[in-house]
Structure formats: structure tokens, C-alpha cells
Amino acid sequence: MASRPRSRRLRRTLLAALVAASVAVPTAGAAGPAAVPAPVPAPSAPLSLAAPGELAARYAANRSAVRAAEAMAEAHGDHGRAATLRAMAGEDHRLLSFDGRDGGRSVEVFGDLAGATRTAVLVPGSDTRLDSHRFRSGAAALQRELGRGTAVLAWLGYRTPATLSAAATTPGRAEEAAPLLASFVRELAAAAPRARLTVLCHSYGSVVCAEAADRLPVAALVLYGSPGTGAERAADLDTTATVWAGRGTDDWIAHVPHVRVSSAFGELGFGTDPVAPEFGARVFDAGTGGHSDYLRPGSVPLRNMARIVAGRDPADA
């Protein structure tokens, strides 16, 4: 009997911490990248994979856009941002889209997009920016694990919240991002109708994917390191995709309270734990790693997520 009051006290403590984060750190979300000037991107034609030269031309156009943004950042005096953009303009970066404004947005391709029969879209969580090397290296690692005939797209298509911010505890950023993700995935599906598409969503990215789920024409939706989705059950996502969920045993996200409450600041929290039986997702083994370890080369979660992308069941261990 004593354990129940302790459980209630812990729940109240966690809720208090969640509310405190929304009140005491209201400006943390503004502590992201500075608003460095960047050119307005030129309109892009609809994505086409029919002619081999079309992708190459798109990559070249985006390299030019990155160089223009680099020049503006340099003139603005932000030498760190300019260095990031200089690296992005290299031949080893194949950008399907780029917008340097408001902190920056990009979609980078790893693998053979035109010839892929299995394509994965990675949706990142909080604190992911143009200079987030872990996001890019994780996408490259997943593509290497998948092998030939595959592509991985690192979709940094929204303004990610700071981890220690009110924005990371509320669905606002996800609601902004969801139509952008849905539009991109639908365009990709139209351009590659024979490819099996999977969207993999890390941390706060799983909230984005949940908001967009009913508009994503994909075979599988993978939630990993998720704080919740805003939905109480996988069925509430209203998707025909198979919903998978995984969490490493050392991931701190497990200690986030899986609740959803109303406050003067709006909805706080994201509800049911996606790896809990009552959520109803198919749970895969995500190993023993922490919150940033899911796409580490050689890891259990990387291997299992690659199997899901390929249309196979993940291994038990």
C-alpha cells in the first residue's frame, strides 16, 4: 500500500517539473541559432527522379544557394555559421532542398535516391540544427547498414525546439512542422511510387510524425526515444502504416512523465509512452544505449531499424 502514495508523489513531482519548465524557461527556445540573414530560396520544381540529370542539377542549385547563404553569414559577422555553410557546400553533401533563413532548413540525401527501392526519411528531435553532425552521421550510418538500392533522407524541415525549453514540452512546433513533413513525403512518394517508404522519428520528432501520421503515405512509422506522441494509442494516429516503437534502456527520456495536462500555457506533455503495451505499437529491441545512440554504427537499434526499413521484422536481440 505504501508504494501507491509514493507513486502519486512521484507523479506530482514530475508534473510540477514539467510545468516549471514551461514557466521558468520560457525564453530557452529563443536561445537557438541567431537570425542570420540568408537569401530567399528560389522556387523548386516538383521532385522528379525520371531523368538522371535532374537530381544532379538540383544538388548543384542547392550548393549555389548554400554558398550565397555563406556569403551573407560572413558579411553579417557570424563566422561559425559561415563555416558550417562552407562545409555544406562541399561535393559530399547532396541537398534536395535548402533554406538558410530562420536557423536553416535542409534535406540531405544519402544513397541512391533515384534507384532506391527502400527509402527512409529521418525526422530529428530537439536541438538539431544545420551544424548537427550527429544527425548527418546517423543518416549515413543507417544507409550503410541498409546497403545498395536504398536511400536515407535527413529531413531537417522545421524549427526544432531547444531540449530545455517550454517548446519541447508542448505540441506547437510539431503542429507547425507536420504539414511540411506531410507535403515532402507525399512529393517523395509521387516521385518514387515503387519505393517502400519508412519515416523514422526521434525524440520530439515523434510528436511531429504523430501530427502528420494520417497524411503520410508510408509503409512504416518508427518512433524511437519518444517522449510520447500526443495520442493515447497508436490507433489514434489514424495511419495505415505499421507503427513501431523502441527505447534504449539507458535513455533518459524514459523518466519524462508520460502525461498530457492542460495549463494556462496550453497542453503540456505527450501522453502514453509509445513502448507501453497500452499504446499498441509494435515494440522493437533498441538495445542498452542512451538518447543519442540509436543510429550508432554497429548498434542493436540501428540494425533493427534498418530491418524495419527493409520490410523485415527486427531481431529479438
Side-chain angles (χ1 to χ4, degrees), residues 74-220:
E74 203 63 81
H76 185 71
D78 193 325
H79 305 301
R81 172 52 61 89
T84 293
L85 295 171
R86 195 173 306 118
M88 287 184 69
E91 292 294 324
D92 58 331
H93 288 258
R94 295 180 298 164
L95 299 177
L96 207 56
S97 66
F98 172 78
D99 184 345
R101 300 171 299 169
D102 189 29
R105 311 283 188 274
S106 67
V107 180
E108 186 165 2
V109 177
F110 299 83
D112 177 18
L113 180 58
T117 57
R118 299 176 303 284
T119 300
V121 177
L122 292 183
V123 179
S126 57
D127 284 321
T128 305
R129 302 187 175 94
L130 290 179
D131 60 355
S132 297
H133 301 296
R134 184 180 288 120
F135 183 47
R136 184 172 188 268
S137 62
L142 178 59
Q143 197 281 321
R144 287 194 301 270
E145 184 73 24
L146 285 163
R148 295 179 61 183
T150 66
V152 175
L153 281 65
W155 184 83
L156 179 54
Y158 77 111
R159 186 167 53 111
T160 64
T163 299
L164 296 177
S165 72
T169 68
T170 62
R173 297 285 178 91
E175 290 168 353
E176 293 174 5
L180 304 174
L181 175 63
S183 176
F184 171 73
V185 173
R186 287 199 301 265
E187 183 179 11
L188 181 62
R194 290 186 293 276
R196 173 187 165 88
L197 295 182
T198 301
V199 175
L200 302 101
C201 321
H202 180 232
S203 194
Y204 188 87
S206 63
V207 187
V208 175
C209 291
E211 289 283 348
D214 61 346
R215 290 161 284 169
L216 299 178
V218 298

Side-chain angles (χ1 to χ4, degrees), residues 245-249 283-288 300-305 314-317:
R247 185 173 64 228
T249 56
V283 177
F284 65 92
D285 183 1
T288 60
V300 169
L302 177 69
R303 183 167 62 248
N304 278 338
M305 287 193 286
D316 292 333

